[in-house]
Amino acid sequence: MARTRTDLTLGELSARDHAFYGLVWAGNTLSARVDQALTRTHGMPLSWFEVMLWLHGQDGPVAASDLGAKTLLSRSQVSRVVDALQDRGLVVRVPSPTDARSVCIVLTDAGRSAFSEADETRRAALAEAFDDRLDDADIDALERVWAKLKAPREG
């Protein structure tokens, strides 16, 4: 006997609750889409890409603790990701120029190349679900929302 799928609902939600769960849904859905594309195409999960994204944007080596503070990953997750990236020759650990007890992480040339290829895959994965559905006004509105949500609270 075939089971009929029930169309689940969140029930009555306030506009604020609906907006919050919409953000959660969008983040999870888009992240999963990118993770699948990166893993399938490059053998690189989204967590690796995120670390590489932050490294790619810097002029020099980055302290592992700074990566942990910027990414959505825990300190131990950052360490495991850096280990995996180093095993693939995409990053290296170098001594910190300011603290002899610390190390910094930097992308290798192969890492920069792998990041660029993966970033193209990310863009392609998001095109239909994000770029093709949102116009410039939508993007501007999202930018304003993110800026408000990221801003430190006053008072």
Side-chain angles (χ1 to χ4, degrees):
M1 178 164 100
R3 183 168 178 235
T4 304
R5 174 169 260 161
T6 303
D7 188 20
L8 299 177
T9 177
L10 293 174
E12 296 291 321
L13 291 178
S14 70
R16 288 182 182 276
D17 286 340
H18 193 264
F20 169 76
Y21 288 113
L23 287 173
V24 171
W25 174 86
N28 288 338
T29 301
L30 296 173
S31 293
R33 180 180 288 244
V34 171
D35 184 65
Q36 290 168 358
L38 290 173
T39 300
R40 181 177 56 250
T41 306
H42 305 282
M44 175 189 298
L46 183 57
S47 59
W48 294 16
F49 180 84
E50 184 182 5
V51 168
M52 293 175 74
L53 173 69
W54 285 102
L55 292 171
H56 183 265
Q58 310 313 306
D59 291 330
V62 176
S65 59
D66 291 341
L67 285 173
K70 287 294 185 182
T71 66
L72 299 176
L73 306 172
S74 69
R75 174 175 270 170
S76 63
Q77 287 172 312
V78 168
S79 181
R80 286 192 298 272
V81 167
V82 169
D83 287 345
L85 292 172
Q86 187 170 10
D87 288 347
R88 283 184 131 185
L90 303 177
V91 301
V92 292
R93 288 178 167 94
V94 297
S96 169
T98 58
D99 182 355
R101 299 167 295 167
S102 297
V103 296
C104 292
I105 317 301
V106 65
L107 281 176
T108 62
D109 289 342
R112 289 196 178 281
S113 176
F115 172 79
S116 293
E117 291 172 13
D119 197 35
E120 287 299 317
T121 299
R122 176 195 62 84
R123 290 173 195 278
L126 290 176
E128 179 186 341
F130 192 78
D131 297 336
D132 294 351
R133 296 180 187 208
L134 302 177
D135 61 23
D136 290 344
D138 295 328
I139 298 299
D140 290 344
L142 284 174
E143 286 291 334
R144 285 192 304 280
V145 169
W146 306 147
K148 287 180 180 181
L149 291 174
K150 288 191 227 177
R153 288 187 58 109
E154 295 180 14

